[in-house]
Amino acid sequence: MAALRVPWGLAPNWEADSAAAAPIIDNISKKHAKVSRGNAGLALWAPLLALQAKRMAVEAAGTLWTALTNARRLKEKGKKGKKGKKDEKKRNERKQSGKEKLNAGTSQPTAVKPAKKSAPKPIRTFSAKSIDESLIATLKSEGSLELFDENGDSLFCCNIEPDVAQDARKIEFSPTAYELHIFLDDDEEGCLVFDLAKRELRELNPHPYDSINEIKRMPVTRQLYFKDTHQSMQEVRALSVIKQDGNIAVVTEKTIFHPQGGGQPSDVGVMTGESGTVFRVTKVVRDRDTKVILHWGSFSGGDVFETGERLTQRIEMKSRLLHARLHSAGHLIDVAMDEIGVKLKPSKGYHFPSGPYVEYIGRIDAKEKQSVIEKLQKSVEVLIAKDIKTVVTEKESKRFVMVGSETIGCPCGGTHVKSSGEILKLTIVKLKNVKKNTRVAIDLCNR
């Protein structure tokens, strides 16, 4: 910056001015010693007044110099500030643009522009264990889900509502459809699908068997599992073996395998043919339109069942009885809630071994939660100790189940214990308000 020149050739140097003025004052005093008192005063003060004027001019010049210097500094600082703000704005825009490319999904995935029609990037292969433990845990804690390709590059990131994220139970990747399936609660109707090619979110039934024409011509599967929860084996005939998107399903005329639905997981087990062919059943689903039950799983060898072949169904009874106890425990909570005076209408139940609960329409005040938990615990213990027989009847053409009571029940298609005593030990874990509902979390201590 160029130096600022002080006007009139003056510089603010007070010591030099005082030293120069001292001999002048002494000389004036000697020359005018005999002048009259009045004239001497005027002659003496004239140089001093001139010196004072000079000093005032120097001070004014210094003040002006300081003001101009400060003004220039402020002007330059303002230019730098505006430039800095512009640069910062550009940096933020670049960052935001990068984030949008990285996070192709947003809180509204359908608003994201679909990807080009080029071949989809390969997704990182997850084992079932890694999906359940790592992805589900991330989804529940952060409410978002991000997937990466083989090179570690982000494919997309989707944000999910916290309540929905908390209900996530399983994640599956379909390589043929290039979709990610997130199963919620009962796993039958609550399935979210992320289309990785279109980068959009939609709802879909987990098994697209509605498009299979074969089952539309099949008779309704007879539901033997309603007769006896403790039945573990049954002779049946094979009607068809269906292959869909790399999955295999076996349809039989009747079955003791309970399909997944109503908040209860399906039975698992094996079916063995006359020829010795073994089919391991991993999931059972009932088509809502045709009422045909499909047993999904895999053959142990290369052979498959022949149409009409005799099969022996065997259920894994440990899981069957656990599911029945969990489902019956949910019904028992309905009775206990009524007995302690909490008149809330049942909404839904989740009877899977991982975090079972029953949900009711309406909220319980936070101050009353602990009291309600204690009352519920005492009530269910009494109901279990009474070993009340389970009643299954029909109302309005629907199967009606009452557990722990002869008057309180609801329509239900699940498997149940013979009496409340078979539930053994039921613990009320906690009460939680979910939106406008109350969720009662339970657990079976001795599974």
Side-chain angles (χ1 to χ4, degrees), residues 235-240 250-254 274 306-313:
E235 299 291 329
V236 298
R237 287 186 179 272
L239 295 182
S240 180
V250 175
V251 179
T252 57
E253 56 175 336
K254 54 189 176 182
E274 292 176 310
E306 298 290 337
T307 302
E309 183 177 353
R310 286 184 176 275
L311 310 177
T312 301
Q313 293 181 334

Side-chain angles (χ1 to χ4, degrees), residues 100-257:
E100 289 176 355
K101 291 180 180 179
L102 179 63
N103 302 333
T106 62
S107 57
Q108 297 178 345
T110 53
V112 180
K113 293 183 179 180
K116 295 181 180 179
K117 293 184 178 180
S118 58
K121 293 182 179 180
I123 197 169
R124 179 178 292 172
T125 303
F126 295 98
S127 66
K129 183 177 180 181
S130 67
I131 286 178
D132 289 341
E133 292 183 359
S134 62
L135 292 186
I136 287 291
T138 301
L139 186 62
K140 287 178 176 292
S141 61
E142 300 180 8
S144 64
L145 188 66
E146 187 170 7
L147 293 184
F148 303 85
D149 63 14
E150 294 174 331
N151 301 320
D153 298 327
S154 177
L155 286 176
F156 79 108
C157 178
C158 286
N159 297 323
I160 303 176
E161 294 181 5
D163 291 336
V164 176
Q166 287 297 322
D167 289 338
R169 301 294 169 180
K170 183 172 61 174
I171 297 179
E172 290 181 355
F173 171 65
S174 173
T176 55
Y178 199 59
E179 295 174 341
L180 191 75
H181 295 176
I182 299 180
F183 298 96
L184 312 175
D185 281 346
D186 61 12
D187 197 7
E188 181 179 21
E189 299 179 356
C191 178
L192 296 179
V193 177
F194 288 108
D195 190 318
L196 301 184
K198 296 180 180 179
R199 297 179 181 251
E200 66 180 15
L201 170 68
R202 68 178 188 276
E203 294 185 6
L204 186 71
N205 194 288
H207 290 286
Y209 47 77
D210 290 337
S211 61
I212 304 175
N213 292 325
E214 292 180 61
I215 66 172
K216 295 180 180 179
R217 298 189 297 268
M218 292 181 183
V220 175
T221 308
R222 291 164 56 193
Q223 301 160 289
L224 301 183
Y225 50 83
F226 281 153
K227 293 183 178 180
D228 185 4
T229 297
H230 294 78
Q231 183 181 358
S232 62
M233 188 172 66
Q234 176 67 40
E235 299 291 329
V236 298
R237 287 186 179 272
L239 295 182
S240 180
V241 176
I242 299 172
K243 295 182 180 180
Q244 177 79 357
D245 293 334
N247 300 313
I248 301 176
V250 175
V251 179
T252 57
E253 56 175 336
K254 54 189 176 182
T255 184
I256 58 172
F257 282 86

Side-chain angles (χ1 to χ4, degrees), residues 186 188 209 221-226 255-268 283-287 291-295 315 320 323 327 352 413-415:
D186 61 12
E188 181 179 21
Y209 47 77
T221 308
R222 291 164 56 193
Q223 301 160 289
L224 301 183
Y225 50 83
F226 281 153
T255 184
I256 58 172
F257 282 86
H258 181 273
Q260 183 165 294
Q264 178 177 331
S266 71
D267 289 326
V268 295
K283 186 171 184 177
V284 186
V285 180
R286 186 173 189 244
D287 178 46
K291 312 303 180 187
V292 173
I293 295 177
L294 296 100
H295 307 81
I315 289 179
R320 154 67 77 89
H323 300 163
H327 201 150
F352 282 63
T415 56

